[in-house]
Amino acid sequence: MRVNPNYSADMVNLMDQAQQNENNAAQELSTGRRVSLPSDDPAAEAAMIGENSRSAAVDQYTANSDSLTSVLNTANSTLTSVNSLLQRAVTLGVEGANGSMNQSDLNSIAEEVSNIQSQMLSLANTSYAGHYLFAGTATGSPPYVADTANPSQIDYVGNDQQNKVQIGTGLSVSANLPGSSIFSQSGANVFDALQSLVTALQEGNSSAIATAQTSVSSALSAVGTAQVFYGSTVDELTTNETFLSQEKLNITTYENTLVSADTAAAATSVTQDENVLNATVEAAAKMNQSCLLNYIQ
Amino acid sequence: MGLTADLNVSVQSLLASTESMDVTTTNMANMNTPGYARRRVVLEESAPSGDDQSSTGVDVKTVQSLRDSVLDLSINANTAQQNLNSTLSSSLSAVQELFSDTASGSVGSSIDSFFSSLQQLSTSPADSSLRSGVLTAAANVASAFQSTATVISQAQQQADRSVVQSTDDANSLLQQIAATNAQISTAQDLGQSSNSDQDQLSSLLSQLSAIMDYKTVNSSDGLTLTTSEGVPLVVGSKAYPLTSQVNSSGFNDVYAGNTDITGTIEGGNLGGYLQARDQTLTSLGSQLDQFAYQFAKAVNTVQTAGSDANGNAGTALFNPPDTTTGYAAGAASAIAVALTSGSQIAAASTGGASGDSSNLTQMLNLQNQAIIGGSTPTDAFSNLTFDIGNTVSQANSNATAIGNILTQLQNQQGSVQGVSLDEESSNLLLYQRSYEAAAKVISTVDTLMGNILDMGVTNPGY
């Protein structure tokens, strides 16, 4: 069979191919990625879009958990203060109820309980970054205000709504507990109990003091029960953050298998392609040397 | 047999050798000429002459071009396909980058950021800076749609300009082909060799196959060229130039005569530009419009079902869509944020307090709902990434595969029609020797004839 005498096009083709392969491998090495454009591996790129979105969502769930944790911790420590104030009020009620005190002593106890009551008001109106923590979702204004007709009575003007914050796909936690479930539960209203204790102390009525002290005790235990919400939610967030960081790691690992360059293979490829290129160039340079014309005299 | 006959035979031989050397020279001179097929002298014994019919000289029967027309056809068809694929790939390269996972500000990543901003807002629904953040993220979504739509439309316009340019290039070739047809037919009528015209024709056809696909038929008045659907392009010495007419989409359709052949060009650069412009990019553009339209509609539906920070009913976050007509065309380039203040984001359900986030939860749920033609927003974008990536990837691998086939075919073609210097040099030696031999015979006959004439001179007395 006759051989194609014009080998140069073939040679150029081979050199182009070797050069292209070498460039690709070098690009993989420099970018660390096997896939740079959708056409490099359409399926991997399509999967990357999904993984990037998942990864962004995981980042956001983590950020949600972080900011929620600060809010809940603030609320929780507020309730811890509430707790100790109420305990002090119970102690004062017990002291006032044992009948050994004169009215002047009872009056000063009443004074202290009254102070507790006003501290309680400011704690119940605690805000975080300008938003009231115990107002339900009516976070724009203080949830506890003195009743206009009867200033010694504290009214709840928030609502009993709870917001949900997503901390995972299909997973959300309540972000707040309304004051109506903490301070002003029916039968265990902190402000009413404190007010009745102040009144009983001022009146010097031992049995009324004892009744009021019992009310404060039930309010205390009601607040304690409500406080569990914050502790358990923060625990849930902490556990979930551990899960999220594992999830993030899984996504990153999967993304790497999708698009990352095999550095060792790419480095080997650069060397091999360079050798092929050199060999082709040398062969091309040698092939032109002999021609019958050189020998015809 | 006589000396005169020998002389005649030798003269024929001289002429044949000279012609053979001419052909060798032509071959050597044109070894790098595109379309040139090596030629070879076909010699034959001439009719016997002389008294006893014993002297048989040599005649040049013809000068033959060594060309494999089937191979040529196959190469041209593959060239058309390779050019279609490489042109398609390069026409889409700028567009596909916008769908890469690393593209900053892509539709996909801006939608992710939009939902992240909503998530952030959900942790503190009354926070005005977080509300502004949502508006900024929404504006980024709108501008991602817009800039993607712009790049797609620019790529289409670029392809459209190239269609017109390719049409002009094709016309120039069609006219040259018609002219060459005429020359071949004239040469054949005069009984002359049309080898060089055939070479020229071969080169022109190969150039045309880079621009478009076509069919050829050999007829009595030369080569007839038609489109794949049989619309004439060149018949004999007449070329039917392509024209372009702007269609309703603002793009140029290609006409051969009065026939719209836009949809039937399936090869060459022209085929690649048309496929990119009319199929891949048009489809991508309308999918993007649907995407923008449905995304805006879904967000607006939730937004208008809630209450904003001031307790007012929520109003549409995005402009358009016009939900009354459901008209999505152009939505991707027209989408914009309609709200002016973050307080207008309807985070609360209707009548909810300023810190309520229950409507926000509904909006967040959109991220995992099949709101874009049966897919979630992320999946919808991911599908577009796959589609465009797959189209380019297939075009690239087709171009490579066809390139390998072409290399094979061109090697075969070279083995048939390529000029080998070694071969020509060796032929040159042969022809040189036969010329020398014939010349030697002539000089010998000359001597012999001289001897005979001398005989008369030396014996005048007889």
Side-chain angles (χ1 to χ4, degrees), chain A residues 230-264:
Chain A
Y230 292 100
S232 64
T233 308
V234 168
D235 282 351
E236 189 179 346
L237 291 175
T238 311
T239 314
N240 190 54
E241 282 200 51
T242 315
F243 171 78
L244 287 175
S245 64
Q246 182 59 47
E247 180 80 355
K248 177 81 178 167
L249 192 64
N250 291 346
I251 293 174
T252 311
T253 311
Y254 181 52
E255 286 188 339
N256 279 336
T257 64
L258 282 176
V259 297
S260 281
D262 180 342
T263 318

Side-chain angles (χ1 to χ4, degrees), chain B residues 437-449:
Chain B
K440 184 71 186 170
V441 171
I442 290 174
S443 102
T444 309
V445 170
D446 179 40
T447 312
L448 292 177
M449 284 189 160

Side-chain angles (χ1 to χ4, degrees), chain B residues 268-332:
Chain B
N269 296 338
L270 194 51
Y273 291 128
L274 287 173
Q275 189 172 330
R277 187 192 77 183
D278 295 343
Q279 294 176 33
T280 315
L281 292 173
T282 299
S283 151
L284 187 64
S286 81
Q287 286 183 72
L288 195 72
D289 281 343
Q290 280 293 336
F291 196 155
Y293 172 78
Q294 289 177 332
F295 182 76
K297 186 179 166 191
V299 170
N300 286 352
T301 304
V302 176
Q303 164 77 13
T304 49
S307 284
D308 70 11
N310 302 318
N312 300 321
T315 56
L317 177 54
F318 288 111
N319 271 336
D322 177 356
T323 41
T324 52
T325 60
Y327 186 65

Side-chain angles (χ1 to χ4, degrees), chain B residues 8-85:
Chain B
N8 284 339
V9 168
S10 302
V11 169
Q12 270 185 318
S13 175
L14 278 185
L15 290 175
S17 302
T18 311
E19 173 118 31
S20 300
M21 280 189 278
D22 281 352
V23 168
T24 300
T25 318
T26 311
N27 280 344
M28 286 176 156
N30 285 290
M31 63 178 297
N32 294 320
T33 308
Y36 183 79
R38 75 191 161 101
R39 293 178 194 167
R40 144 177 103 183
V41 173
V42 179
L43 300 173
E44 64 174 7
E45 286 181 73
S46 60
S49 65
D51 298 339
D52 52 1
Q53 299 282 301
S54 63
S55 352
T56 307
V58 65
D59 268 340
V60 173
K61 188 184 178 195
T62 179
V63 175
Q64 186 187 20
S65 265
L66 291 163
R67 182 186 301 285
D68 183 337
S69 55
V70 176
L71 206 52
D72 284 1
L73 281 181
S74 181
I75 287 177
N76 288 346
N78 278 293
T79 305
Q81 282 313 305
Q82 191 190 31
N83 275 35
L84 179 141
N85 281 294

Side-chain angles (χ1 to χ4, degrees), chain A residues 2-44:
Chain A
R2 194 171 183 267
V3 174
N4 179 13
N6 300 324
Y7 51 82
S8 66
D10 233 8
M11 281 289 172
V12 171
N13 247 350
L14 287 172
M15 285 187 256
D16 277 354
Q17 251 168 39
Q19 186 69 60
Q20 183 65 51
N21 290 345
E22 192 179 343
N23 289 355
N24 289 350
Q27 199 197 352
E28 276 190 32
L29 277 183
S30 63
T31 59
R33 280 177 62 119
R34 178 180 62 83
V35 182
S36 307
L37 286 171
S39 61
D40 293 339
D41 186 341

Side-chain angles (χ1 to χ4, degrees), chain B residues 37-307:
Chain B
R38 75 191 161 101
R39 293 178 194 167
R40 144 177 103 183
V41 173
V42 179
L43 300 173
E44 64 174 7
E45 286 181 73
S46 60
S49 65
D51 298 339
D52 52 1
Q53 299 282 301
S54 63
S55 352
T56 307
V58 65
D59 268 340
V60 173
K61 188 184 178 195
T62 179
V63 175
Q64 186 187 20
S65 265
L66 291 163
R67 182 186 301 285
D68 183 337
S69 55
V70 176
L71 206 52
D72 284 1
L73 281 181
S74 181
I75 287 177
N76 288 346
N78 278 293
T79 305
Q81 282 313 305
Q82 191 190 31
N83 275 35
L84 179 141
N85 281 294
S86 54
T87 302
L88 178 61
S89 167
S90 61
S91 302
L92 300 177
S93 63
V95 172
Q96 74 152 340
E97 287 184 21
L98 299 176
F99 292 86
S100 140
D101 73 289
T102 48
S104 68
S106 74
V107 169
S109 67
S110 67
I111 287 179
D112 284 344
S113 306
F114 173 68
F115 282 114
S116 285
S117 75
L118 289 174
Q119 288 280 10
Q120 255 175 311
L121 181 58
S122 79
T123 63
S124 185
D127 190 306
S128 62
S129 68
L130 293 182
R131 281 174 172 268
S132 303
V134 172
L135 274 201
T136 307
N140 288 341
V141 170
S143 74
F145 273 117
Q146 285 170 11
S147 58
T148 307
T150 304
V151 171
I152 291 175
S153 123
Q154 280 170 350
Q156 280 182 304
Q157 281 156 13
Q158 175 68 46
D160 188 52
R161 284 193 290 276
S162 304
V163 164
V164 176
Q165 180 61 48
S166 299
T167 320
D168 291 347
D169 294 347
N171 282 341
S172 144
L173 289 170
L174 291 176
Q175 258 137 15
Q176 291 180 61
I177 289 170
T180 311
N181 256 347
Q183 283 168 15
I184 290 174
S185 138
T186 312
Q188 278 168 351
D189 288 349
L190 295 174
Q192 293 172 345
S193 158
S194 61
N195 279 337
S196 61
D197 294 323
Q198 297 283 4
D199 288 340
Q200 167 84 356
L201 188 60
S202 163
S203 162
L204 290 170
L205 287 176
S206 134
Q207 289 175 53
L208 184 62
S209 71
I211 300 178
M212 64 187 289
D213 59 331
Y214 54 83
K215 281 203 288 204
T216 56
V217 183
N218 275 311
S219 61
S220 54
D221 43 351
L223 195 72
T224 299
L225 226 63
T226 68
T227 68
S228 57
E229 302 280 302
V231 181
L233 296 171
V234 175
V235 177
S237 59
K238 178 150 179 52
Y240 295 86
L242 305 175
T243 51
S244 46
Q245 290 180 22
V246 178
N247 64 20
S248 58
S249 314
F251 296 134
N252 286 283
D253 280 343
V254 182
Y255 282 76
N258 289 323
T259 316
D260 183 356
I261 59 166
T262 316
T264 65
I265 300 173
E266 282 163 350
N269 296 338
L270 194 51
Y273 291 128
L274 287 173
Q275 189 172 330
R277 187 192 77 183
D278 295 343
Q279 294 176 33
T280 315
L281 292 173
T282 299
S283 151
L284 187 64
S286 81
Q287 286 183 72
L288 195 72
D289 281 343
Q290 280 293 336
F291 196 155
Y293 172 78
Q294 289 177 332
F295 182 76
K297 186 179 166 191
V299 170
N300 286 352
T301 304
V302 176
Q303 164 77 13
T304 49
S307 284

